C-alpha cells in the first residue's frame, strides 16, 4: 500500500469500505475535430463550449467551486509556443513538450525539475528550457486549492531524432520520470481524517509529454478550465481536434492527476475487470518486447501505475501498445472488442480479427464510452 500512496498523494488511505485501489469514475466525454485536419482556435473554443455543456455529467464538492475534474486535449500549439518562450524551438514534431505537476513550494519544484533534467540527460535528451504555465486559481474552492500542484512546461529535443521515434523516446522518458522523481508534499488524507498536517512522498506527474498532443486538466469544474489556464483563451492556441471531459468520480475521491483526458483517451463509464486486467499486464511484462522501443524496458515498468484509476490504467496499456507498433484503432479494438463469439451476421474477417486478438489480451470489460486520439486520428 505504500507504493499506492506514493503515486497519488491527493487520495486518502484505505478506511472503512473505501480503498483507493478501486477508483472508478462515470463522466461526460466529447470531442470535436476538423475533418480536413486544419488547426484553428475555433476548434478550441468549440471544444470548451462542448465541455461546458457536460457540466451536468461532472460532480462538485460540498463547495460548488471544487470540481471532480475537467480537461481538454489538443494538438501541440506550435505557433503559440514559439511566441511565448524565450528560447529557440526546433521544427514542429522535432521537440517534446507537456505539462508537469510539481510541488507548490518553489525550492521543491526546482529540485524536481533538476531531477527531471538529470533523467532526460541519461535518456539522450537536450533540455531546451522550461516555461511556468500561467494559471489563475482565484476561482477555485478550498478543496481544489489545497491539493493544487505547480505547473511547469518542459521542452526537450534529441539530436537527429524526430517524428514517431522521438515520440517513443518521450514515452520512455516520461515513464522513468514518474517512477523516479519524488518529493515531499502535505499529506492531504491525514488532514481530512485527523484535522492535522503531515508530509508524504509524492511523484512527479505529466498529463502529457509528447511531440503531438497537449493536455490541460485539473481538479476543476468545466467553466473554470479556460479561467484557470489562460493559454486556452489565447487566439494563437490552435488545434484540428479537441477531446474534452467532465469527471464524476463515483464512490471515490477527486484528484488533480485523475482528471481526464489522459494521454490517449477520455472515458465515461466503469471498467469492471480492471483489477484482473492490471494483474495480467503485470504478469506479462516479462514477455514484452519491441524493436521500436530502445533499451531495457524494465525501466518503464510497471505499465499500470499503482493507485491509478480504471481509466488511467486503460490509457497506460493503450499507450504501450501504440508505442510498441500497434495502430491506435487496432489497439482500441483489441482492448475493447465488441461481442463477437455469438454474432451471427459478423463478417468472417472481422470475427477472425477478434478471435486472433483474444489470444493476445483479455477484454477490458464494462459499460464504457471512450474517445481516443494520438493527435493524428480521433475516434
Amino acid at each position: 500500500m505504500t507504493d499506492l500512496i506514493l503515486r497519488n498523494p491527493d487520495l486518502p488511505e484505505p478506511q472503512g469500505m473505501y480503498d483507493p485501489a478501486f477508483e472508478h469514475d462515470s463522466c461526460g466525454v466529447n470531442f470535436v475535430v476538423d475533418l480536413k485536419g486544419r488547426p484553428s482556435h475555433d476548434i478550441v473554443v468549440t471544444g470548451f463550449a462542448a465541455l461546458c455543456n457536460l457540466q451536468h455529467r461532472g460532480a462538485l464538492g460540498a463547495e460548488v467551486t471544487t470540481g471532480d475534474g475537467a480537461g481538454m486535449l489538443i494538438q501541440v500549439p506550435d505557433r503559440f509556443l514559439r511566441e511565448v518562450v524565450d528560447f529557440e524551438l526546433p521544427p514542429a514534431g522535432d521537440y517534446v513538450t507537456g505539462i508537469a505537476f510539481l510541488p507548490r513550494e518553489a525550492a521543491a519544484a526546482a529540485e524536481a525539475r533538476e531531477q527531471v533534467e538529470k533523467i532526460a540527460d541519461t535518456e539522450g535528451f537536450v533540455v531546451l528550457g522550461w516555461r511556468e504555465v500561467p494559471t489563475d486559481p482565484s476561482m477555485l474552492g478550498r478543496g481544489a486549492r489545497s491539493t493544487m500542484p505547480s505547473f511547469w512546461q518542459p521542452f526537450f529535443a534529441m539530436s537527429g531524432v524526430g517524428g514517431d521515434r522521438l515520440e517513443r523516446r518521450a514515452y520512455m522518458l516520461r515513464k522513468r520520470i514518474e517512477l523516479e522523481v519524488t518529493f515531499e508534499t502535505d499529506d492531504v488524507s491525514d488532514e481530512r481524517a485527523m484535522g492535522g498536517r503531515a508530509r508524504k512522498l509524492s511523484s512527479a506527474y505529466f498529463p502529457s509529454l509528447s511531440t503531438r498532443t497537449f493536455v490541460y486538466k485539473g481538479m476543476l469544474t468545466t467553466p473554470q478550465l479556460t479561467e484557470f489556464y489562460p493559454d486556452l483563451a489565447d487566439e494563437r492556441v490552435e488545434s484540428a481536434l479537441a477531446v474534452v471531459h467532465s469527471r464524476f468520480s463515483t464512490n471515490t475521491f477527486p484528484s488533480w492527476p485523475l482528471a481526464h483526458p489522459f494521454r490517449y483517451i477520455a472515458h465515461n463509464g466503469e471498467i469492471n475487470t480492471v483489477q484482473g486486467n492490471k494483474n495480467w499486464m503485470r504478469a506479462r511484462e516479462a514477455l514484452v518486447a519491441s524493436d521500436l522501443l530502445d533499451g531495457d524496458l524494465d525501466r518503464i515498468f510497471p505499465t499500470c501505475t499503482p493507485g491509478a484509476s480504471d481509466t488511467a490504467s486503460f490509457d497506460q496499456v493503450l499507450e504501450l501498445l501504440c508505442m510498441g507498433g500497434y495502430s491506435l484503432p487496432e489497439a482500441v479494438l483489441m482492448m475493447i472488442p465488441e461481442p463477437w463469439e455469438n454474432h451471427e451476421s459478423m463478417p468472417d474477417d472481422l470475427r477472425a480479427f477478434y478471435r486472433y486478438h483474444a489470444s493476445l489480451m483479455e477484454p477490458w470489460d464494462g459499460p464504457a464510452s471512450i474517445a481516443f486520439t494520438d493527435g493524428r486520428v480521433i475516434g
Side-chain angles (χ1 to χ4, degrees), residues 49-354:
L51 176 63
C52 289
N53 285 331
L54 295 174
Q55 175 71 4
H56 67 289
R57 294 292 298 163
L60 307 175
E63 50 182 9
V64 296
T65 49
T66 292
D68 269 13
M72 180 185 298
L73 180 154
I74 60 174
Q75 294 172 319
V76 170
D78 179 69
R79 181 170 75 91
F80 167 74
L81 295 176
R82 291 182 186 281
E83 295 182 12
V84 297
V85 299
D86 56 2
F87 45 86
E88 188 173 345
L89 293 177
D94 288 346
Y95 66 89
V96 173
T97 190
I99 292 182
F101 287 2
L102 298 181
R104 282 175 295 182
E105 301 88 346
E111 183 179 344
R113 294 197 302 276
E114 185 176 338
Q115 291 184 60
V116 168
E117 291 183 6
K118 287 179 179 178
I119 295 173
D121 180 65
T122 65
E123 289 288 328
F125 282 92
V126 175
V127 181
L128 302 175
W130 291 82
R131 171 183 181 244
E132 187 170 9
V133 180
T135 58
D136 177 7
S138 61
M139 82 297 297
L140 297 185
R142 180 176 175 273
R145 194 190 295 256
S146 67
T147 58
M148 185 181 74
S150 63
F151 306 86
W152 292 89
Q153 182 179 3
F155 293 82
F156 304 112
M158 184 174 287
S159 178
V161 178
D164 289 345
R165 187 179 172 204
L166 184 60
E167 184 75 8
R168 290 187 171 95
R169 294 299 295 265
Y171 165 67
M172 306 289 280
L173 171 62
R174 197 203 77 239
K175 291 292 288 186
R176 277 197 61 193
I177 290 170
E178 293 186 346
L179 290 170
E180 298 176 30
V181 175
T182 59
F183 44 83
E184 282 194 338
T185 61
D186 290 331
D187 186 340
V188 178
S189 65
D190 181 76
E191 182 185 25
R192 284 171 177 156
M194 307 299 296
R197 274 286 192 205
R199 304 289 285 174
K200 75 163 61 165
L201 200 59
S202 304
S203 304
Y205 177 78
F206 282 79
S208 61
L209 187 66
S210 173
T211 62
R212 301 195 296 257
T213 59
F214 200 90
V215 174
Y216 291 94
K217 72 175 188 177
M219 203 167 132
L220 310 165
T221 66
T222 60
Q224 289 175 342
L225 184 67
T226 58
E227 293 181 75
F228 185 78
Y229 290 113
D231 284 2
L232 287 170
D234 193 305
E235 293 188 355
R236 295 170 294 178
V237 173
E238 299 172 325
S239 178
L241 57 85
V243 177
V244 296
H245 188 276
S246 177
R247 186 170 190 250
F248 192 120
S249 50
T250 50
N251 305 312
T252 61
F253 285 87
S255 165
W256 284 84
L258 293 184
H260 304 211
F262 289 93
R263 289 116 194 174
Y264 275 71
I265 70 165
H267 169 224
N268 171 36
E270 294 189 355
I271 300 169
N272 297 325
T273 59
V274 64
Q275 197 58 50
N277 295 133
K278 291 196 289 187
N279 290 342
W280 276 112
M281 280 305 302
R282 189 66 175 139
R284 65 167 61 99
E285 282 170 356
L287 305 176
V288 173
S290 172
D291 294 336
L292 298 174
L293 297 174
D294 298 322
D296 184 358
L297 298 187
D298 283 346
R299 72 191 195 279
I300 65 168
F301 294 148
T303 304
C304 299
T305 304
S309 66
D310 54 342
T311 308
S313 300
F314 182 101
D315 183 82
Q316 290 168 339
V317 174
L318 179 63
E319 182 180 37
L320 175 64
L321 292 174
C322 293
M323 291 295 115
Y326 285 93
S327 72
L328 180 58
E330 181 180 5
V332 170
L333 291 176
M334 181 192 308
M335 294 182 70
I336 314 180
E338 60 181 302
W340 59 272
E341 292 174 290
N342 299 310
H343 195 313
E344 296 178 357
S345 60
M346 179 175 286
D348 290 341
D349 56 348
L350 183 57
R351 185 188 305 278
F353 172 91
Y354 286 125

